Amino acid sequence: MRVLRHGEVDSTNERALAALAEGTARHGDVHVARAQTAGRGRRGRRWHSPADEGLYLTLVLLPPPPPPPAAAWTVAAGLAVREALEALGVPDPSLKWPNDVLVGGAKLAGVLVETRGLDPARPHFAVGVGVDVAQRVFPAEIERERAVTSLARLGLARGVDEVLEGLLPALEARLVAPGAPGDLDGLGRDYLAAARLAGRHVRVATAQREVEGRLVGLSLAGGELELALGERRERLPLAHVVAVTAL
Ligand code: BTN
């Protein structure tokens, strides 16, 4: 993996997508910035990116065609980040749909997978990862929106580079290595276990409605979440799923 270090940038995802557009990007490139002025979160949110307080990175993937579904990268990236943070001493991190890393209900890290003008003959993905490392204070509007935490708040005195060093092997294994992201059924099972959702009674929110049932499977190949509602099975397209909450 090639680590490309930036000072202050708009967004490392934007830098990775620009390198992809220019044709200079390589599979496994990692863009890391000290600060971002326009860090992006999921669902159009901003990612608060003060200098040297968080890890802001984007991994470039140029997998061979045909590409696995985007949801597979989303899930694999969440698992990699969760595993790396656990190895760094984070107590009992879990995943919240689709790939927020939470500790005790507070968000510690997030992942944003983007692609621009995807050509199935030459697939590319930009996997952006943000980890709160040294923040002790967050802007009031972020604290109002959701519970947040950082390694510092959890009592873990780790430097941003130390977190990067911990993350690289996990990203390599789950996303960059030949054959990644691997067996999609296994990935789906790993995800449901890490998200503490396997076999649980859940509420799934889509843009249109909410459905409650027992979560029996996550098919990344089929792009569906499978719920049992008594005798009946309901398959919800992953692209429509906004939130999954264990009841
Ligand atoms: C989320 O949970 O909403 C996803 C947050 C992803 C933030 C990271 S920080 C590095 C990369 N560059 C960005 O602009 N966003 C991602």
Side-chain angles (χ1 to χ4, degrees):
M1 290 164 95
R2 184 169 68 153
V3 176
L4 303 156
R5 290 189 178 267
H6 304 273
E8 181 181 276
V9 294
D10 45 1
S11 148
T12 54
N13 271 28
E14 200 51 48
R15 290 308 96 221
L17 289 165
L20 281 158
E22 286 159 11
T24 56
R26 289 194 216 152
H27 180 66
D29 278 357
V30 178
H31 292 262
V32 187
R34 287 185 60 195
Q36 299 183 116
T37 53
R40 296 201 280 265
R42 295 182 55 253
R43 305 169 62 75
R45 294 202 180 97
R46 276 190 56 235
W47 188 258
H48 179 58
S49 313
D52 304 321
E53 293 201 9
L55 174 61
Y56 319 114
L57 75 78
T58 300
L59 169 66
V60 171
L61 297 176
L62 289 162
W73 302 113
T74 299
V75 162
L79 283 168
V81 176
R82 196 204 74 81
E83 287 159 4
L85 291 172
E86 188 169 46
L88 282 163
V90 172
D92 201 25
S94 64
L95 288 172
K96 177 169 163 264
W97 185 268
N99 51 20
D100 288 355
V101 179
L102 304 191
V103 182
K107 181 161 171 170
L108 174 65
V111 180
L112 174 66
V113 180
E114 293 186 292
T115 185
R116 195 169 280 164
L118 184 63
D119 172 2
R122 211 177 160 276
H124 73 267
F125 298 92
V127 180
V129 179
V131 182
D132 294 331
V133 178
Q135 292 94 331
R136 291 201 173 269
V137 179
F138 289 85
E141 66 269 21
I142 292 182
E143 297 265 16
R144 265 198 301 275
E145 204 176 290
R146 59 173 184 244
V148 281
T149 191
S150 65
L151 295 179
R153 277 192 175 184
L154 292 168
L156 293 164
R158 304 280 189 192
V160 172
D161 276 346
E162 214 179 329
V163 181
L164 172 65
E165 292 310 318
L167 227 68
L168 291 177
L171 293 172
E172 155 84 32
R174 287 261 181 208
L175 299 154
V176 181
D183 159 46
L184 296 187
D185 289 342
L187 198 57
R189 281 194 297 274
D190 285 358
Y191 178 82
L192 292 184
R196 322 272 153 80
L197 290 173
R200 295 285 302 270
H201 193 72
V202 297
R203 179 182 303 125
V204 179
T206 71
Q208 296 79 28
R209 63 199 179 110
E210 289 191 343
V211 189
E212 285 185 18
R214 195 167 58 81
L215 187 43
V216 289
L218 166 60
S219 165
L220 293 167
E224 292 170 337
L225 206 55
E226 194 182 349
L227 296 191
L229 288 76
E231 294 300 294
R232 202 160 62 76
R233 293 287 164 110
E234 177 130 357
R235 293 186 166 77
L236 299 163
L238 294 180
H240 297 178
V241 175
V242 177
V244 182
T245 315
L247 298 172

